[in-house]
Each structure stands twice: as structure tokens, then as C-alpha cells.
Amino acid sequence: MSETTEKLHFVMVHVFGHGAWCWYKIRSLLEASDYKVSCIDLKGSGMDPSDPNTIFSFQDYNKPLINLLSNLPQGEKVILVGHSAGGMSLTYAIHRFSKKIRMAIYVAATMLKHGFVTPQDYEHTSIEAESVQQQHFIHMQLDLVLL
């Protein structure tokens, strides 16, 4: 990789009940391959000191991810990787920072049904709350093979 070529930057988002620590093997392999890697602890998870009992919204839970994306240098794009429920955090971030996302990788992750975005988007539509709650989530399995 030449010095003028920008390193790809991976941002790893963990599942509920985990933290940045769960990515340590993949992080090591990616960094050894000369990629930039950021593994974050979402609020109240991993090493984050927040009391989980004080987190009352999905927006608050995702604050560390939003802060990271907000503070990216001008023109930098990242590859978001989310595992399981971390997929919902990816979708949330993509809708807020689409110009800062190069790619999103959902690893056995929760994704919204095609055509739906987030619960906030339903507030101003004619879709009834019951139909939103009954929607099915698509689960994608992505097997990572690192040679």
C-alpha cells in the first residue's frame, strides 16, 4: 500500500452484553494486514463506565459510535462491522452518517425489513404500531474466512 493511499478504516460494533474486547482476534489480524481498526464500547458496555440502568434510549446507547463518526476527519470513510444486535447500531449510524460510510458488514446481525428504517420514521407515517411490531427481521449470516 503506497503512502498516498488511504488505509481502510474498520469500525467494529459489538453485540449486546459484550464490548470492544470481543473483536481482539479480528482486530489483531486486520492491523497485521495494515488496516486501521477502531473497536468501541457502546454506552454501558465493555469498559464504558456508564451504569446500564441509566441508559433509556437507543440513541444514548449508541453515543460512542456517533461520537466516533462525528469526529472523523473531513472526507474519511469507514467500513462498519456489526455483530448480532450490533447490526441495529450500524443501521442507525448509516442513516445519520451515510457520507462517512464506505461499507457496512452485518455479521449474523439484525437488519430491518426492506423499506423500513427506524421506529422514529414510523411516527409520521400511516403504518400502525401493531404492524411495525409484527415486522420480521432479516438475519444475514456472514462467514468470515481469514487466511
Side-chain angles (χ1 to χ4, degrees):
M1 181 176 291
S2 73
E3 290 180 14
T4 59
T5 304
E6 179 184 330
K7 278 188 183 184
L8 291 178
H9 183 180
F10 288 84
V11 176
M12 316 299 275
V13 182
H14 60 79
V15 62
F16 290 132
H18 282 79
W21 55 265
C22 71
W23 296 106
Y24 78 95
K25 287 184 180 181
I26 292 174
R27 178 184 197 148
S28 297
L29 291 169
L30 288 170
E31 288 176 340
S33 297
D34 204 32
Y35 295 109
K36 181 178 178 180
V37 182
S38 298
C39 299
I40 58 167
D41 286 320
L42 296 175
K43 198 163 181 184
S45 303
M47 299 291 290
D48 184 89
S50 304
D51 178 358
N53 295 318
T54 64
I55 302 166
F56 298 111
S57 71
F58 192 60
Q59 292 79 7
D60 193 26
Y61 175 68
N62 285 303
K63 190 92 167 134
L65 175 60
I66 299 311
N67 288 344
L68 183 142
L69 294 173
S70 295
N71 293 313
L72 286 174
Q74 181 73 19
E76 183 176 346
K77 291 186 174 190
V78 298
I79 298 171
L80 290 178
V81 181
H83 175 232
S84 191
M88 295 298 287
S89 296
L90 261 62
T91 301
Y92 177 72
I94 290 166
H95 287 286
R96 292 203 49 197
F97 297 98
S98 61
K99 293 182 179 173
K100 294 185 176 193
I101 312 301
R102 179 183 308 268
M103 180 186 305
I105 302 172
Y106 292 77
V107 182
T110 304
M111 298 177 65
L112 291 172
K113 185 176 177 181
H114 179 72
F116 291 100
V117 183
T118 62
Q120 293 78 11
D121 296 320
Y122 308 132
E123 292 174 2
H124 304 293
T125 66
S126 60
I127 300 173
E128 294 181 11
E130 287 181 25
S131 66
V132 172
Q133 292 173 352
Q134 293 173 0
Q135 73 169 313
H136 299 283
F137 289 97
I138 300 168
H139 297 276
M140 288 182 58
Q141 177 67 45
L142 173 66
D143 295 320
L144 296 177
V145 178
L146 298 171
L147 301 175

